[in-house]
Structure formats: structure tokens, C-alpha cells
Amino acid sequence: MLLARDGSLTNCAGFARQFFGRKSDAATQRLAYAYTPAFNTAYTNNQALLRLWRDPENIAPDGQRIFKPRLGVHDSIVGCAPIDRRDWVKAKIAEWWNGTITVAGLTFTIPAESKRGPNWGELTTI
């Protein structure tokens, strides 16, 4: 309805995306339907990254981060931390990703999951 009426959709951060294709075209509709869920997921992930970066508990006495983000992807963050801090990291991940967003007047949390391992092929759920 919003696509047909306005030719644009607004995400949870208030940014509007204009769709210039025909509003009844299936390709335009596919782009529009995917836009806000994809943005909201990426936005939630980026907010978690900000929380972990700004968390004073994530800074060791030498000034280095304990959990160090290494790669940010659309819906995930890859990082590393000392093995002896596993329990701490597990608790902090739950805290960092516990943010809410509001969409169309509804406030909710996008669920997150965490995995760890020595490489991509050997990950286990935390």
C-alpha cells in the first residue's frame, strides 16, 4: 500500500527509500518488500556494534578491546577474544545485542544467536 501510494518506504531509523520503477511491477515490489526487513536487521547489528565498541567493560587495562570486532557483515559481526574470557563474552554478547527497534509503532527485539569456533567450518552455538 505504501509503495503504491508514496513510491517510497521508510525504515526504523527514519530513512526513506524511493522506488522509481512501476509500483505494480513484480521486480519493484520484490525490492520494496525486502528493503525494510534487511535494513532493520543491519541497523540492529550496527547498533550492537556501537554498544560493544563503547562499552567501558570491553576495554582492558592496556587500552585494547577485549572482544575485538574484525569483520562486519550485513547481519553479523565476526570478532575475537581471549579464550579465558569466553563466559564474559557470552554474557556481553547477550547484552550488546539486546536492543529494541520500533517499526510502525511496534517496539521489539530482533533475536540474535552467537557461535564460536576456530574457523567457519567448525562453529558451535554459544
Side-chain angles (χ1 to χ4, degrees), residues 38-50:
F39 179 90
N40 293 342
T41 301
Y43 178 81
T44 301
N45 200 55
N46 290 339
Q47 293 301 306
L49 179 59
L50 281 173

Side-chain angles (χ1 to χ4, degrees), residues 38-119:
F39 179 90
N40 293 342
T41 301
Y43 178 81
T44 301
N45 200 55
N46 290 339
Q47 293 301 306
L49 179 59
L50 281 173
R51 281 190 290 278
L52 80 83
W53 192 256
R54 293 175 176 164
D55 188 342
E57 292 180 29
N58 192 31
I59 301 174
D62 65 359
Q64 297 292 315
R65 298 287 187 287
I66 298 165
F67 178 84
K68 298 174 183 168
R70 297 295 191 208
L71 174 66
V73 186
H74 168 77
D75 62 353
S76 63
I77 295 172
V78 178
C80 62
I83 290 175
D84 63 331
R85 301 302 299 266
R86 281 184 178 167
D87 291 337
W88 180 86
V89 169
K90 181 180 178 180
K92 293 305 280 187
I93 286 174
E95 179 183 319
W96 294 328
W97 266 265
N98 189 24
T100 60
I101 61 172
T102 302
V103 177
L106 178 65
T107 300
F108 58 94
T109 300
I110 295 177
E113 65 178 33
S114 303
K115 295 183 178 187
R116 72 168 183 235
N119 59 56

